[in-house]
Amino acid sequence: MPPRIKKIVLAYSGGLDTSVILKWLQDKYDAEVITFSANLGQEEELTSLPERARAAGAAKVYIEDLQEEFVNDYVFPALKANALYESKYNLATALGRPLIAKRLVEIAREEGADAIAHGCTGKGNDQVRIELSALALAPEIKVLAPIRTWEMKSREEEIEYAREHNLDITVNKEKIYSIDRNLWGVSIECGALEDPTNAPPDDAYVITQNPVLAPDNAEEVELDFTRGIPTALNGQELDGVSLIKKLSALAGKHGIGRVDLVENRLVGIKSREIYEAPAATVLYLAHRALEELTLDRETCHFKEMLITKYSELVYNGYWFSPLREALDAFFAKTQEHVSGKVQLKLYKGNCRITSRFSDHSLYQKGLATYDSSDVFDHRLAEGFIKIWGLPLKVMGERAQKD
Ligand code: ARG
């Protein structure tokens, strides 16, 4: 017989799944359940959670604002890397999971709990991210994923269970979409989106305006960066969390950052998901514009090759891995000169760079110009081309002989 599970820390959002899990774990294991809820900028009301968790039998309730840690230790590293999964998805959900898992196991240790629990399904990536993070940080702690094992097969059955056990659940009449939100973006699936031939219905979007209905006037935005990190918006210095939130509202109003992707999940399924990443879209563009100006060619091109690998690591749950950490150290080193100012225009779903400036720019007008101030020595090009093309010339001569 495996040792009895006496105390469990549950990642609790207050939604239907985790509310039912909270009760079910107590019944099933006769265990004490502690709930943990993180604020990652999902803009959901968290104040009613303690009362509801306690009413459902929680022994203790943790609610923590992790926004700052999320931005500084997860979002900004991904921005420095220009990380995008399958060239489109900014990994908002994927970046949040390791942080949630980290706090889950830390609390489990402080509380002397034998297990952590989550409400992820058996078909998704998030179970993998949470459990791999837990394995890396606290291999001794058990992980319970009731949704994978319990007898309930549908939302209706869960609602039935909640009724039987007098759980306070706010069942929104027909919850069409599955939505995961934090301050870096929104991930939306299910409903009409499950058919990839369907255009996303307008009501699926949460934080972006339909570009067609966006303001008729373009809006200028100015961003300051210091070593790859945005530090000011329109001249106003802001901490990371505030800057992202402000920019998100601004760009969302202009319909920027909508993404529609049929993606390859780690568990082998192709799934269609739409994303909203207004702040990330603008910040990626601006950040890249500064890198264009300040990074040397070799670093630029090498960094580009690493995007796919880095994004896969994050997507596939390998956040707490030596390779992800080593890549972040590399990316951090590349950002030494990525400081300066970028101006952009937001207009009906589009965002364009209009100006970039850096004190560390490698752009030299004297070298680039075609006017009389040109300082480039044109004569040197002749010798350069002879040497650079020498292998091709030798092969050309061989082909002629053959
Ligand atoms: N596909 C995204 C990922 O794997 C988001 C997953 C959660 N999506 C959701 N709509 N609940 O990171």
Side-chain angles (χ1 to χ4, degrees), residues 294-343:
T294 56
L295 293 189
D296 64 285
R297 177 182 61 201
E298 297 308 313
T299 305
C300 254
H301 292 183
F302 193 71
K303 211 169 164 281
E304 205 64 29
M305 298 195 318
L306 298 178
I307 292 178
T308 307
K309 186 68 209 173
Y310 183 85
S311 305
E312 276 172 10
L313 289 172
V314 175
Y315 188 88
N316 291 341
Y318 267 62
W319 181 265
F320 294 110
S321 70
L323 182 54
R324 195 280 303 165
E325 284 173 19
L327 288 175
D328 271 339
F330 167 79
F331 291 130
K333 171 73 181 167
T334 64
Q335 302 297 295
E336 275 176 347
H337 300 294
V338 186
S339 305
K341 236 184 233 319
V342 180
Q343 286 166 356

Side-chain angles (χ1 to χ4, degrees), residues 20 34 42 110 113 115 127 155 171 174 180 182 188 209 219 237 261 276 288 292 296 311 314 333 344 370-371 381:
V20 172
I34 294 168
Q42 64 269 45
E110 284 161 27
Q127 54 172 349
R155 202 177 150 73
V171 180
E174 186 53 29
D180 181 71
N182 62 43
I188 308 149
Q209 171 65 277
E219 186 163 350
E237 274 191 38
L261 172 64
E276 297 177 280
R288 274 177 169 279
E292 288 165 14
D296 64 285
S311 305
V314 175
K333 171 73 181 167
L344 312 97
Y370 287 95
D371 71 22

Side-chain angles (χ1 to χ4, degrees), residues 61-99:
V61 174
Y62 282 81
I63 296 186
E64 294 180 359
D65 185 345
L66 303 182
Q67 295 180 95
E68 206 180 304
E69 186 176 0
F70 180 49
V71 167
N72 292 329
D73 297 350
Y74 297 78
V75 168
F76 282 165
L79 174 63
K80 291 177 185 172
N82 299 314
L84 282 180
Y85 183 66
E86 300 190 333
S87 306
K88 282 185 169 178
Y89 165 43
N90 79 328
L91 297 158
T93 297
L95 288 164
R97 301 310 180 193
L99 174 54

